[in-house]
Amino acid sequence: MTAGWRPSLACAALAALVLAGCASEPTRLALGVTRAEALQRLGMPTAVYPLPGGGERLQYSRGPMGYEVNNVDVDAQGRVVSTRQELQESLFDRTIQPGRWREADVLRTYGRPYETARVGSFDGVVWTWRFKSMNAPRLLHIYIDPTGEVARYHTADDVMRDDVRW
């Protein structure tokens, strides 16, 4: 054993790091805490959006290269009422509303995209986010027409990932 090595101190330091990591994870935030407590635990959000009814959404994005966008919704009384990691493939069908959603709805849900592009088969812009499905890197593409309305979306494999060999 190395001189000065104290297993109990090392274990305590590791436990503190693990607990600090959990405290800064938005989806582990207890419902009902105040907005001020949420900000103290999570830090400044990457974006803040107003919600219907006087509440607001604190958005914590790990983009553009990350795979998560966590939304913390606060009601009009300043209490956390929900937390959710939005970039989950199982949520897309229930969340994205082609023909109804506008750019503002997309931003309020997913934040700024990883990439924006134009394609020859669509008159508009395609916004793209990175996410993981079963630990495999994937892409979410949302097609926004020239009026700012969501036309459609689809997911695809991230062909730029390291484990794909051509």
Side-chain angles (χ1 to χ4, degrees):
M1 190 176 280
T2 307
W5 168 253
R6 297 206 170 145
S8 60
L9 286 177
C11 290
L14 179 60
L17 283 172
V18 168
L19 289 174
C22 291
S24 65
E25 175 59 38
T27 58
R28 295 184 188 264
L29 192 63
L31 300 183
V33 301
T34 65
R35 180 185 190 280
E37 289 171 307
L39 290 173
Q40 181 182 13
R41 290 181 191 170
L42 303 175
M44 292 303 296
T46 53
V48 177
Y49 299 98
L51 293 174
E56 68 181 348
R57 173 164 289 163
L58 308 177
Q59 192 171 77
Y60 294 87
S61 175
R62 301 218 171 128
M65 295 303 289
Y67 297 100
E68 293 182 8
V69 173
N70 292 285
N71 289 325
V72 176
D73 290 352
V74 178
D75 66 14
Q77 289 72 42
R79 297 278 178 185
V80 172
V81 294
S82 73
T83 62
R84 185 160 87 171
Q85 200 291 94
E86 296 290 350
L87 289 174
Q88 299 181 61
E89 196 160 15
S90 62
L91 296 176
F92 298 154
D93 282 340
R94 292 182 277 159
T95 304
I96 302 170
Q97 299 176 29
R100 293 185 58 201
W101 263 20
R102 314 272 313 152
E103 286 181 2
D105 299 303
V106 176
L107 288 171
R108 185 175 42 255
T109 304
Y110 301 113
R112 296 256 170 238
Y114 156 68
E115 173 181 78
T116 59
R118 294 195 174 273
V119 294
S121 61
F122 179 71
D123 182 23
V125 66
V126 182
W127 291 8
T128 302
W129 291 260
R130 302 173 83 223
F131 72 98
K132 283 196 174 181
S133 179
M134 305 285 289
N135 286 327
R138 305 263 299 150
L139 300 171
L140 167 64
H141 302 290
I142 297 181
Y143 292 71
I144 301 174
D145 73 17
T147 70
E149 184 177 281
V150 172
R152 67 180 185 268
Y153 79 94
H154 73 88
T155 60
D157 289 330
D158 185 351
V159 296
M160 298 304 288
R161 63 185 201 222
D162 292 337
D163 64 333
V164 174
R165 302 285 181 239
W166 295 98

